[in-house]
Amino acid sequence: MVVLELSEQDVNRLFRALADATRRDIVRRTLVTDISVSQLADSYEMSFAAVQKHIAVLEEAHLVTKAARGRERMVRGNLVRIHQAQRLLDHFEELWRSRIERLDSLLAEDAPAPPDT
Amino acid sequence: MVVLELSEQDVNRLFRALADATRRDIVRRTLVTDISVSQLADSYEMSFAAVQKHIAVLEEAHLVTKAARGRERMVRGNLVRIHQAQRLLDHFEELWRSRIERLDSLLAEDAPAPPDT
DNA sequence: GTAACATACAATCAAATGGTTGTATTAGAG
DNA sequence: CTCTAATACAACCATTTGATTGTATGTTAC
């Protein structure tokens, strides 16, 4: 099992990048098919430069990559990063389980000695 | 299967709340066991009020809840919201699958008519 | 080669964020 | 009842964010 090699900064950037509706939409669309920067820019009610900046945020979070194709830059969603985010959330669930386990052992008061101290 | 009833604003708040190391730590710890605001504040290198604000952000994102116990407010992590975040990410994965499916059907050039147009 | 297109990037600005200190309120301890 | 601990909240400030416009650069089409 590979440990997530993401720094706290990386995780910050990852979740922060996902905390914007336009950016989430860009990720969704570019996961389905590659789309150029200007094609993306056309679909939102904001300036070209604004969309460019959103894409830059996604790039820094490694949620998308850009590849030159002629004079265009094709944007492609990166599912790997989504998976990493999922695994981060999985970890929260595991912590919660530990609460349940401790509650269980409390309820089993009459039990012999606990597994280890 | 229940549809996620989260507005874009809700999703923004959810991911944004997760985009801070201190806040993630608070969620982790309060998933394991309830902790008072002042207990939490003691463990970080920032003012009491700063920690209070982080908790407020987590509350607005419904990642934690607060319950009065005497003069203390006990903070408790809310796993449900983590699960909702996970499901949001699951959706991204599904989109990506559609890319693969379309690629597959492209490769099957000699196939009869496509399923539907 | 020149015009038009696609992108990059700097400068600027308002609003939001993350932190501070200070003051007020509430509940428990003695 | 009074002191103190725990919290809430307002005011303030620096930095970051999200957007703008303007300018520069590279690429394709004609």
Side-chain angles (χ1 to χ4, degrees):
Chain A
M1 186 164 83
V2 183
V3 176
L4 276 199
E5 275 304 351
L6 294 178
S7 70
E8 292 282 34
Q9 266 273 9
D10 288 336
V11 180
N12 292 352
R13 273 196 276 261
L14 175 51
F15 284 123
R16 180 152 244 302
L18 289 171
D20 179 278
T22 302
R23 289 197 290 260
R24 283 192 302 272
D25 194 60
I26 292 175
V27 172
R28 279 187 215 105
R29 293 174 60 192
T30 58
L31 277 171
V32 174
T33 186
D34 295 5
I35 312 183
S36 74
V37 174
S38 48
Q39 271 179 289
L40 285 169
D42 285 343
S43 24
Y44 304 106
E45 285 293 308
M46 67 185 76
S47 68
F48 181 87
V51 176
Q52 249 185 335
K53 281 203 197 178
H54 281 305
I55 296 171
V57 169
L58 290 170
E59 255 191 305
E60 283 178 35
H62 299 100
L63 278 165
V64 305
T65 56
K66 268 195 297 193
R69 202 178 67 183
R71 60 180 157 182
E72 290 173 306
R73 302 299 141 96
M74 305 306 289
V75 180
R76 172 177 306 202
N78 177 27
L79 190 71
V80 173
R81 210 61 165 186
I82 299 285
H83 282 152
Q84 291 179 322
Q86 284 178 314
R87 279 201 275 166
L88 288 166
L89 295 178
D90 289 345
H91 186 233
F92 284 94
E93 169 132 22
E94 289 164 27
L95 288 169
W96 180 81
R97 259 185 239 295
S98 75
R99 158 181 287 212
I100 297 300
E101 281 163 21
R102 290 193 304 113
L103 278 185
D104 281 353
S105 64
L106 271 183
L107 289 177
E109 287 171 22
D110 317 301
D116 59 280
T117 327
Chain B
M1 187 165 82
V2 184
V3 174
L4 275 200
E5 277 302 351
L6 293 179
S7 70
E8 292 282 34
Q9 266 273 9
D10 289 336
V11 180
N12 291 352
R13 273 195 276 262
L14 175 50
F15 284 123
R16 179 149 241 304
L18 289 170
D20 179 278
T22 301
R23 289 197 291 260
R24 285 192 301 275
D25 194 59
I26 291 174
V27 173
R28 279 187 216 106
R29 292 175 60 193
T30 59
L31 278 171
V32 174
T33 188
D34 296 5
I35 312 183
S36 74
V37 174
S38 49
Q39 270 180 292
L40 285 168
D42 284 345
S43 24
Y44 304 107
E45 284 292 309
M46 66 185 76
S47 69
F48 181 87
V51 176
Q52 250 185 334
K53 281 203 197 177
H54 280 304
I55 295 171
V57 169
L58 291 170
E59 255 192 304
E60 283 178 38
H62 299 100
L63 279 165
V64 305
T65 56
K66 267 194 298 194
R69 202 179 68 183
R71 60 181 156 180
E72 290 172 307
R73 301 299 137 98
M74 304 307 289
V75 181
R76 172 178 307 203
N78 178 25
L79 190 71
V80 172
R81 210 60 166 189
I82 298 287
H83 282 153
Q84 291 179 321
Q86 284 178 315
R87 280 200 275 167
L88 287 166
L89 296 177
D90 288 345
H91 186 232
F92 284 94
E93 170 132 21
E94 289 163 27
L95 289 169
W96 179 80
R97 261 185 238 296
S98 75
R99 160 181 283 211
I100 297 300
E101 282 163 21
R102 291 191 305 112
L103 277 184
D104 281 353
S105 65
L106 272 183
L107 288 177
E109 287 169 22
D110 317 303
D116 58 281
T117 326

